[in-house]
């Protein structure tokens, strides 16, 4: 697989109400009373609970819905490198967020599995 490393740092936020702050990549999920937002760190809504310091690896797509095991393969490689992930899926592809402090280890693990990672 091929990955693009997005340039920005991201935050994973817990919100009281949905918000869309804009930016190159964001994901809003509303489920059972929980509102979660992934957005650029500097665009995190004021006063939200946020886990910062994430970098995003975008799997180059579009990915066909019949494909099996994409995230399983990626997460297994990163598990072996002791890198925790936060995954987000869209209609066309998947994003794997890793902590900035683990980015080099994550890239090395993915490349060791034969994947390519490029900066955009």
């Amino acid at each position: 697989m091929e990955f693009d490393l997005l340039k920005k740092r991201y935050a994973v936020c817990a919100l009281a109400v949905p918000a869309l702050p804009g930016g190159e990549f964001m994901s809003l999920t509303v489920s059972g009373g929980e509102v979660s937002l992934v957005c650029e760190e500097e665009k995190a809504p004021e006063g939200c609970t946020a886990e910062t310091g994430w970098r995003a690896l975008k799997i180059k797509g579009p990915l066909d819905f019949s494909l099996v095991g994409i995230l399983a393969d990626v997460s297994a490689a990163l598990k072996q490198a002791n890198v925790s992930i936060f995954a987000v899926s869209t209609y066309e592809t998947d994003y794997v967020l890793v902590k900035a402090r683990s980015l080099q280890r994550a890239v090395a693990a993915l490349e060791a599995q034969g994947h390519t990672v490029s900066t955009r």
Side-chain angles (χ1 to χ4, degrees):
M1 281 181 283
E2 295 180 42
F3 294 82
D4 282 329
L5 173 63
L6 304 186
K7 293 190 183 305
K8 301 281 185 166
R9 289 173 60 110
Y10 291 87
V12 178
C13 308
L15 305 176
V17 296
L20 293 173
E24 178 184 18
F25 168 70
M26 71 180 138
S27 178
L28 178 68
T29 304
V30 180
S31 174
E34 177 185 0
V35 180
S36 297
L37 172 69
V38 177
C39 65
E40 295 171 8
E41 275 185 354
E42 66 272 5
K43 295 183 184 232
E46 184 84 19
C48 74
T49 301
E51 176 74 21
T52 59
W54 295 93
R55 295 296 306 273
L57 294 157
K58 176 185 179 182
I59 299 174
K60 288 189 179 181
L63 302 175
D64 190 275
F65 279 101
S66 65
L67 294 174
V68 177
I70 300 291
L71 283 176
D73 289 344
V74 172
S75 64
L78 296 177
K79 176 187 175 194
Q80 290 298 318
N82 199 33
V83 174
S84 75
I85 68 169
F86 187 91
V88 175
S89 294
T90 67
Y91 187 87
E92 291 192 352
T93 194
D94 297 316
Y95 293 78
V96 178
L97 285 83
V98 300
K99 286 297 204 159
R101 66 179 173 267
S102 302
L103 181 61
Q104 287 182 333
R105 215 169 6 155
V107 169
L110 292 170
E111 289 177 340
Q113 294 291 318
H115 305 297
T116 39
V117 178
S118 60
T119 57
R120 304 185 323 147

